[in-house]
Amino acid sequence: MVSGVFLLRQSSGLLVLYGLLLALLGWAGAAALISDPFMLPSPQMVIFRLIQDLSTPLLWHSIGQTALEACLGCLLGAVIAIPLAYLFFKSRIIAGVLSPSLAASQAIPAVALAPLLVLWVGYGLLPIVLLCALIVFFPILVSTLSGLKNLDEDIISAARLDGAGGWRLWKDIEFPLTMPSVFAGLRSGFTLSITGAVVGEFVMGGSGLGSRLSAQANVVDVSGLFGTILVLCILAATLYGSLVLLENQSPTVRAIRTK
């Protein structure tokens, strides 16, 4: 069983590497055909530029700033979404009243919310964190609620027979069993939160990667733009992979998967 899981992970890793290699070859081929670095710079140009930028503290500061905004926003969204999902699960009346409004709010683009947040709370870290939280809130809510609705009724009934109820039932039974769904929502949330941070910096300013992209676009720094976009992709993949690793190391999740 263990060797099978290891082989599966190894093959998945190889598929990812093959996919990246194909994308890199396709990029290099397209750049060679276009032959215009202002339209599409080659991978060599972008990587060389990125190495230069990484040798300065300015890019590292931008990476840290965007990562901070994204992480704080996602955590804030999760702190609100997870309890609210439980409230929806327990009360059909509250779910019926609030669900349509929350679903309708997802039609509002993030770029339209950013100016309002500036008017309400000003510039700085706080409005960008709030924007990230608003973006990730709904996916985490839906994922957590889906996990709660799919709980094994036999396990819940057995726990109630043993005297579990209220907070104890949630803490010891319902929430642990819902953790895979919570992690799924967090994985989606963290990647969306990166987008929220970049959009927020476009509108509200700051010193993160979004502001860097805006400055590079103003001076038509195409190689720099591609390099910053590549950094954003790596940052999102790193956050996603960290959550996958954290989920795989969780004793509760591992116990659920072995059943």
Side-chain angles (χ1 to χ4, degrees), residues 145-214:
L145 186 58
S146 175
L148 286 168
K149 289 181 176 179
N150 290 309
L151 290 174
D152 192 329
E153 288 296 332
D154 292 336
I155 296 176
I156 302 299
S157 299
R160 287 199 175 103
L161 288 175
D162 288 337
W167 166 248
R168 184 184 164 196
L169 181 64
W170 161 253
K171 179 177 69 73
D172 295 336
I173 305 297
E174 292 175 333
F175 183 68
L177 291 176
T178 313
M179 281 186 67
S181 298
V182 173
F183 271 109
L186 288 174
R187 289 197 301 271
S188 299
F190 266 96
T191 50
L192 287 172
S193 195
I194 296 290
T195 303
V198 172
V199 170
E201 289 166 3
F202 278 154
V203 179
M204 307 173 203
S207 57
L209 294 172
S211 298
R212 187 180 182 87
L213 281 172
S214 181

Side-chain angles (χ1 to χ4, degrees), residues 38-245:
F38 284 99
M39 292 293 293
L40 181 63
S42 67
Q44 299 95 312
M45 290 180 61
V46 173
I47 292 172
F48 179 74
R49 172 61 186 277
L50 186 56
I51 291 173
Q52 286 184 317
D53 290 342
L54 288 171
S55 64
T56 65
L58 186 60
L59 177 56
W60 289 106
H61 172 76
S62 297
I63 293 171
Q65 184 68 21
T66 299
L68 176 65
E69 294 161 355
C71 290
L72 290 177
C74 191
L75 291 174
L76 177 60
V79 166
I80 300 172
I82 294 173
L84 188 60
Y86 182 71
L87 190 61
F88 281 10
F89 175 64
K90 290 297 182 181
S91 175
R92 292 184 178 179
I93 295 176
I94 295 177
V97 171
L98 295 181
S99 291
S101 300
L102 291 174
S105 69
Q106 299 308 295
I108 304 173
V111 72
L113 292 173
L116 290 175
L117 290 174
V118 170
L119 291 174
W120 292 337
V121 298
Y123 291 91
L125 178 65
L126 179 59
I128 298 177
V129 170
L130 290 175
L131 180 63
C132 293
L134 289 170
I135 290 174
V136 307
F137 165 79
F138 195 71
I140 297 175
L141 172 71
V142 171
S143 183
T144 304
L145 186 58
S146 175
L148 286 168
K149 289 181 176 179
N150 290 309
L151 290 174
D152 192 329
E153 288 296 332
D154 292 336
I155 296 176
I156 302 299
S157 299
R160 287 199 175 103
L161 288 175
D162 288 337
W167 166 248
R168 184 184 164 196
L169 181 64
W170 161 253
K171 179 177 69 73
D172 295 336
I173 305 297
E174 292 175 333
F175 183 68
L177 291 176
T178 313
M179 281 186 67
S181 298
V182 173
F183 271 109
L186 288 174
R187 289 197 301 271
S188 299
F190 266 96
T191 50
L192 287 172
S193 195
I194 296 290
T195 303
V198 172
V199 170
E201 289 166 3
F202 278 154
V203 179
M204 307 173 203
S207 57
L209 294 172
S211 298
R212 187 180 182 87
L213 281 172
S214 181
Q216 290 168 337
N218 289 335
V219 296
V220 199
D221 183 2
V222 182
S223 295
L225 281 168
F226 270 81
T228 305
I229 291 170
L230 185 59
V231 169
L232 282 168
C233 293
I234 294 172
L235 179 58
T238 301
L239 291 175
Y240 187 93
S242 299
L243 280 170
V244 171
L245 182 62

